[in-house]
């Protein structure tokens, strides 16, 4: 492959009036940053962060034109570091991919070799992208609860943003591991879908906030996985059983929250942060081994809708309008 080799990519450009325009364009390998590892991308996936990057969120992406895509699964073209050999199947999640480094929504990426891991043998590239960062974050969240001693017999686990990427895979993994799950969603019309994933009960997300400004409430769930932040996170903590824990990975419902310390000091409830982006590569490899074994979901194809690169502009807009359900896997070469 030469520097003049062309490939297709989603490109987001900032217009002179401050708008952000998305289109599929032809790029050259020479447009990519100089790095050791060159990968032919076969599949990527869509995440909330890609939608933020595609709409010009400068906390995610500072430089435009830009190709989003925080996930990539593909085949090694060349690796100057000697870590991988040509033809090897690899996965890339997070670090700077898709933020200020051209991402997986392009058919070729150029990245440092220490951002990639070998694709586990029991997963195809497509299956790995059905999980993607959303699934990886779900798996890390469940693992964090387990490390705090959570077990199915403790009682139900609440999951917020239930119809989203992290939420839907969290429900499925928890259910597979034997937990009872209460799914909180703004889309109660998706109740059947959420129950098919493994939720035993579906409630509207607004019901979490009915507790209002009370410092602490009834103990309604043993543990929780939160993707929303804001008041939802505060009010989940206030209604968690003594000794339980709540993981926090997202801010789809707000970045700030206000509460008292009462759930922490009277019920020993724990607040656990989850990051899937900058954790060490060894931790990413370890969680992937679980995703490929005891957390592997049966009939994986059911958890993700396959779309083409050409469809990504439309689907990224749907993310910002909260009109997406589950995971979206992008067939970048389809
Ligand atoms: P999705 O867009 O797929 O899901 C988010 C869900 O949140 C929606 O489906 C909707 O679920 C709910 N939601 C959306 N907007 C609002 C709103 N304004 N108020 C309340 N609820 C809302 O996103 P992901 O699952 O990919 O990501 C979820 C969050 O986790 C994001 O904030 C993302 O940035 C973060 N994240 C963090 C990671 C980390 O490493 N820390 C990694 C991956 C994601 P419903 O309608 O069912 O309520």
């Amino acid at each position: 492959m030469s520097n003049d080799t062309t490939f297709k990519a989603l490109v987001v450009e900032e217009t002179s009036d401050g708008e952000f325009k998305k289109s599929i364009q032809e790029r050259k390998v020479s447009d990519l940053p100089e790095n050791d590892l060159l990968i032919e991308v076969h599949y990527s996936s869509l995440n909330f962060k890609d939608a933020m990057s595609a709409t010009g969120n400068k906390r995610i992406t500072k430089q435009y034109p830009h190709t989003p895509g925080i996930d990539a699964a593909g085949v090694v073209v060349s690796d100057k570091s000697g870590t991988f050999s040509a033809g090897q199947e690899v996965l890339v999640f997070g670090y700077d991919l898709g933020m200020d480094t051209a991402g997986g929504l392009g058919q070729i990426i150029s990245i440092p070799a220490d951002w990639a891991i070998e694709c586990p043998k029991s997963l195809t590239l497509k299956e790995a992208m059905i999980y993607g960062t959303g699934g990886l974050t779900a798996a890390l969240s469940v693992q964090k609860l387990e490390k705090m001693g959570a077990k199915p017999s403790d009682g139900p686990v609440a999951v917020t943003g239930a119809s989203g990427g992290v939420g839907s895979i969290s429900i499925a993994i928890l259910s597979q591991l034997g937990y009872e799950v209460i799914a909180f969603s703004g889309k109660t019309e998706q109740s059947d879908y959420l129950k098919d994933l493994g939720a035993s009960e579906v409630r509207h997300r607004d019901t979490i906030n009915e507790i209002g400004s009370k410092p602490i409430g009834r103990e309604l769930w043993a543990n929780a996985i939160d993707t929303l932040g804001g008041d939802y996170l505060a009010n989940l903590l206030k209604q968690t059983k003594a000794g339980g824990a709540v993981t926090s990975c997202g801010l789809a419902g707000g970045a700030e929250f206000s509460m008292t310390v009462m759930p922490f000091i009277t019920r020993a409830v724990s607040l656990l942060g989850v990051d899937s982006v900058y954790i060490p590569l060894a931790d990413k490899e370890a969680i992937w081994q679980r995703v490929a074994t005891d957390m592997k979901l049966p009939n994986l194809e059911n958890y993700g809708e396959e779309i083409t690169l050409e469809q990504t502009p439309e689907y990224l807009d749907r993310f910002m309008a909260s009109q997406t359900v589950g995971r979206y896997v992008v067939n970048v070469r389809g």
Side-chain angles (χ1 to χ4, degrees):
M1 187 173 288
S2 79
N3 272 345
D4 288 331
T5 304
T6 57
F7 63 91
K8 280 197 296 177
L10 171 71
V11 178
V12 181
E13 294 166 292
E14 188 169 7
T15 62
S16 53
D17 50 4
E19 300 285 305
F20 289 85
K21 205 169 69 142
K22 304 184 269 305
S23 60
I24 307 301
Q25 296 184 13
E26 201 161 87
R27 308 288 282 170
K28 281 189 178 166
V29 170
S30 57
D31 295 328
L32 296 172
E34 271 218 20
N35 280 309
D36 282 346
L37 184 56
L38 205 59
I39 299 170
E40 186 183 86
V41 180
H42 288 215
Y43 288 94
S44 181
S45 87
L46 296 188
N47 295 278
F48 193 70
K49 207 183 219 176
D50 301 318
M52 291 199 279
S53 169
T55 44
N57 187 319
K58 299 259 167 117
R59 279 179 304 156
I60 309 288
T61 300
K62 291 176 187 63
Q63 302 290 333
Y64 294 86
H66 171 64
T67 293
I70 62 172
D71 290 340
V75 173
V76 172
V77 176
S78 58
D79 179 12
K80 287 186 222 148
S81 78
T83 312
F84 299 102
S85 32
Q88 207 171 344
E89 291 192 337
V90 288
L91 309 177
V92 192
F93 305 93
Y95 302 121
D96 195 52
L97 187 73
M99 292 177 74
D100 278 304
T101 301
L105 296 177
Q107 292 173 329
I108 299 177
I109 55 171
S110 169
I111 58 161
D114 60 4
W115 289 4
I117 60 171
E118 188 178 11
C119 184
K121 296 277 176 278
S122 57
L123 287 175
T124 64
L125 294 176
K126 181 178 172 184
E127 286 174 336
M129 286 295 105
I130 290 174
Y131 287 101
T133 289
L136 183 67
T137 308
L140 286 167
S141 302
V142 174
Q143 180 172 262
K144 206 111 202 217
L145 291 178
E146 287 176 343
K147 280 189 179 160
M148 288 300 292
K151 45 190 185 319
S153 57
D154 294 342
V157 181
V159 175
T160 61
S163 73
V166 178
S168 60
I169 302 290
S170 296
I171 294 170
I173 291 176
L174 285 165
S175 162
Q176 154 118 335
L177 295 175
Y179 289 86
E180 182 188 340
V181 180
I182 307 173
F184 285 97
S185 177
K187 305 183 193 85
T188 39
E189 72 280 6
Q190 294 294 337
S191 285
D192 288 347
Y193 164 75
L194 296 170
K195 284 184 178 161
D196 284 349
L197 289 177
S200 41
E201 207 185 317
V202 179
R203 299 187 199 163
H204 196 282
R205 64 180 179 225
D206 290 350
T207 60
I208 300 169
N209 294 336
E210 282 169 0
I211 180 172
S213 57
K214 284 188 200 153
I216 201 155
R218 283 169 52 220
E219 299 170 75
L220 300 181
W221 36 82
N223 296 287
I225 290 180
D226 179 53
T227 66
L228 302 183
D231 288 343
Y232 298 101
L233 175 57
N235 292 327
L236 279 170
L237 285 159
K238 292 184 209 171
Q239 297 169 97
T240 298
K241 276 190 189 176
V246 179
T247 63
S248 165
C249 73
L251 40 57
E256 290 177 17
F257 67 100
S258 168
M259 61 184 288
T260 74
V261 296
M262 296 311 282
F264 308 122
I265 64 172
T266 63
R267 286 192 186 147
V269 168
S270 300
L271 173 55
L272 311 172
V274 174
D275 165 46
S276 69
V277 181
Y278 293 107
I279 55 169
L281 197 66
D283 291 353
K284 289 190 186 180
E285 278 170 330
I287 194 70
W288 271 99
Q289 286 314 320
R290 286 204 65 191
V291 165
T293 53
D294 68 317
M295 288 187 181
K296 185 168 181 187
L297 302 171
N299 308 317
L300 251 181
E301 295 273 339
N302 296 344
Y303 298 91
E305 180 183 336
E306 180 171 327
I307 63 169
T308 62
L309 196 55
E310 281 70 19
Q311 288 175 290
T312 55
E314 175 199 337
Y315 277 75
L316 287 166
D317 287 344
R318 289 196 202 175
F319 262 83
M320 294 316 285
S322 191
Q323 289 169 348
T324 50
V325 174
R327 296 272 308 140
Y328 295 88
V329 59
V330 184
N331 183 345
V332 177
R333 297 184 166 263

